[in-house]
Amino acid sequence: MAAAPIGRAAGLEERGTSPFFCRVPPCPVVPVAFVCTEAESGTPGPTGCEDRLAGEAQTGLHSCELSCVGENKLQGAVRAPLRKGGRLLRRFAVSVGYWKDPYIQYFVRQAKERKAPEINRGYYARVHGVSYLIKAFLKKTECNCQIVNLGAGMDTLFWRLKDENLLPRKYFEVDFPMIVARKIHNIKSKPPLSKPIMESHSGDSLLIDSHSLDSSRYSIVGADLRFSSDLEEKLKKHNLDIHLPTLLVAECVLVYMTPQQSANLLKWAASTFPVAMFINYEQVNMMDRFGQIMIENLQRRQCNLAGVEVCRSLDSQRERLLLNGWETARAIDMMKVYSFLPQADVKRIEGLEFLDEKELFEQLMQHYCICWASKDSSNLGLANITF
């Protein structure tokens, strides 16, 4: 890996930019790797029926990305229209005032058209729900810990935590190399992104190339989450400390892996870190009619949920975590999360826009959940973290 100042070009190359296809670098024929990265959340616009709501929801709820695949499979398999749309939805919600994120503007252009209030409220619940658990972990560990954001994409959590003086000892992001390359390009070319990294860095120089960045407090790693041994090797090269309390975050990531692949990832995490917490945000209750419409809509976009069978219920979500080495596990749907958030702020955001389809909004929120699991050999009280 070559050492270079954060602002210097490092051989990055911009590739295809169609909003309906993910960025794919030239590659030899390899097996398809269908794994969600940088999942995006939200809820759909006003509709007159359950079927339409469940179908339209997928454009804003999350996104998927394919790793490098063989050319003969590329045309039919790599369509991923949801990813860019999800980032735009998040940017729009911020612009309306649902929450503050001064850094998203450096990764995502402003949406040209107004988004529905259901989408914005869904994003609000997800962002604040996941953030609540992250901050609870940081409080328990007094920030003497590390965070590994799996499938991080264009997430801005590192910068926001720094602003709140809540940085862990080290913050890692993992995503496919082509996603990592784009993020590194944005960081190097935009001082509001690069300056906080340099301010938190201690050492002579930052290590950076087109597919990885490593500073003393922040690292981005290009890797495939299906292969945990390779993932661990790359993280250790960036000074991952397996003895440090570790928080792993995955948002709409596991659902794009087969049940065996996600089980392997969870088992690796549970067996590697003696003190750890895993936060997972994704679908639930997917076997009912509403859930089936959501699945069918994704299939029409050639975006299959390889791990959807684990999303049968809150119990199945908890069971997966417990069966793969985690000592405690909890799961609640997003409507419950929404009800647990500070009600004064919920009232504020509900006043930003009029919501017509409240019952359908609730039904959609009941088809997404946050699950969290822990291991705690140091008795830090991680099992007591809850809403």
Side-chain angles (χ1 to χ4, degrees):
M1 184 183 295
I6 194 104
R8 185 184 301 169
L12 290 176
E13 182 175 297
E14 290 295 311
R15 294 191 169 90
T17 57
S18 168
F20 298 104
F21 294 85
C22 62
R23 296 172 182 268
V24 180
C27 63
V29 175
V30 294
V32 173
F34 196 65
V35 183
C36 177
T37 59
E38 199 218 348
E40 302 297 344
S41 170
T43 51
T47 62
C49 69
E50 176 182 309
D51 284 13
R52 184 178 170 196
L53 176 65
E56 291 183 354
Q58 299 310 308
T59 302
L61 278 165
H62 62 275
S63 59
C64 62
E65 192 76 57
L66 290 172
S67 75
C68 198
V69 300
E71 289 182 1
N72 59 339
K73 295 182 179 180
L74 192 58
Q75 295 302 318
V78 183
R79 295 191 183 103
L82 308 180
R83 183 183 182 100
K84 182 176 180 180
R87 293 196 298 266
L88 290 172
L89 295 173
R90 183 185 290 251
R91 172 74 192 277
F92 180 80
V94 169
S95 71
V96 173
Y98 280 82
W99 70 93
K100 294 180 180 179
D101 185 348
Y103 301 100
I104 193 170
Q105 61 182 309
Y106 303 114
F107 291 114
V108 187
R109 295 178 181 176
Q110 180 61 283
K112 295 182 179 179
E113 59 185 33
R114 191 169 188 83
K115 307 302 178 183
E118 291 88 345
I119 295 175
N120 300 325
R121 289 193 190 182
Y123 262 112
Y124 172 86
R126 172 183 168 181
V127 169
H128 283 269
V130 172
S131 178
Y132 178 88
L133 293 177
I134 291 172
K135 291 179 180 180
F137 179 87
L138 291 169
K139 183 177 180 180
K140 289 287 187 182
T141 61
E142 298 180 342
C143 292
N144 185 32
C145 62
Q146 59 196 356
I147 294 177
V148 182
N149 193 335
L150 302 170
M154 302 299 139
D155 192 81
T156 62
L157 180 61
F158 167 82
W159 291 270
R160 289 181 282 125
L161 288 177
K162 183 180 183 301
D163 283 350
E164 297 182 59
N165 198 29
L166 287 174
L167 276 184
R169 279 174 54 178
K170 188 146 187 181
Y171 184 96
F172 299 86
E173 293 184 345
V174 182
D175 214 316
F176 284 119
M178 61 273 200
I179 306 300
V180 166
R182 179 184 173 190
K183 189 164 193 175
I184 291 174
H185 175 77
N186 284 4
I187 290 171
K188 292 191 300 181
S189 61
K190 295 178 172 63
L193 298 176
S194 59
K195 184 179 179 182
I197 295 174
M198 291 187 286
E199 287 175 346
S200 63
H201 177 65
S202 59
D204 295 332
S205 63
L206 300 172
L207 296 177
I208 186 168
D209 62 22
S210 60
H211 292 130
S212 64
L213 182 157
D214 187 32
S215 75
S216 59
R217 304 292 294 276
Y218 175 67
S219 288
I220 312 179
V221 178
D224 189 327
L225 299 179
R226 299 172 306 155
F227 306 112
S228 54
S229 59
D230 179 59
L231 172 63
E232 182 175 348
E233 179 183 353
K234 290 181 176 181
L235 287 171
K236 284 184 174 179
K237 286 182 179 178
H238 289 69
N239 297 311
L240 178 80
D241 183 353
I242 63 172
H243 302 295
L244 201 61
T246 303
L247 173 63
L248 302 103
V249 182
E251 300 184 48
C252 280
V253 171
L254 303 186
V255 71
Y256 286 96
M257 306 169 77
T258 67
Q260 187 59 56
Q261 289 166 350
S262 65
N264 290 342
L265 179 64
L266 290 168
K267 195 173 297 182
W268 164 78
S271 62
T272 300
F273 305 104
V275 181
M277 180 169 163
F278 198 108
I279 299 174
N280 178 40
Y281 167 89
E282 66 181 5
Q283 294 88 341
V284 73
N285 298 323
M286 293 298 282
M287 297 301 109
D288 64 15
R289 173 59 182 161
F290 194 92
Q292 289 301 304
I293 296 170
M294 292 167 67
I295 294 170
E296 291 165 6
N297 186 69
L298 280 172
Q299 289 174 339
R300 286 196 295 271
R301 291 167 166 81
Q302 296 179 308
C303 194
N304 297 309
L305 301 180
V308 72
E309 69 178 77
V310 187
C311 303
R312 295 187 307 275
S313 65
L314 294 173
D315 286 340
S316 67
Q317 289 280 11
R318 283 189 292 263
E319 184 179 71
R320 170 171 58 178
L321 292 163
L322 294 172
L323 288 176
N324 287 292
W326 294 88
E327 296 169 356
T328 66
R330 303 189 187 197
I332 60 175
D333 68 51
M334 292 308 296
M335 201 62 227
K336 285 278 184 65
V337 173
Y338 192 69
S339 70
F340 290 148
L341 296 178
Q343 290 305 294
D345 199 53
V346 169
K347 184 176 181 180
R348 177 189 67 82
I349 65 103
E350 287 180 345
L352 294 174
E353 299 175 289
F354 175 71
L355 176 64
D356 186 31
E357 300 287 350
K358 291 184 179 180
E359 291 183 7
L360 294 181
F361 165 67
E362 292 176 2
Q363 190 170 17
L364 178 63
M365 295 283 276
Q366 290 163 358
H367 284 78
Y368 279 79
C369 68
I370 293 180
C371 320
W372 64 103
S374 65
K375 286 186 60 185
D376 192 1
S377 62
S378 296
N379 297 317
L380 298 178
L382 300 184
N384 298 324
I385 292 177
T386 188
F387 286 93

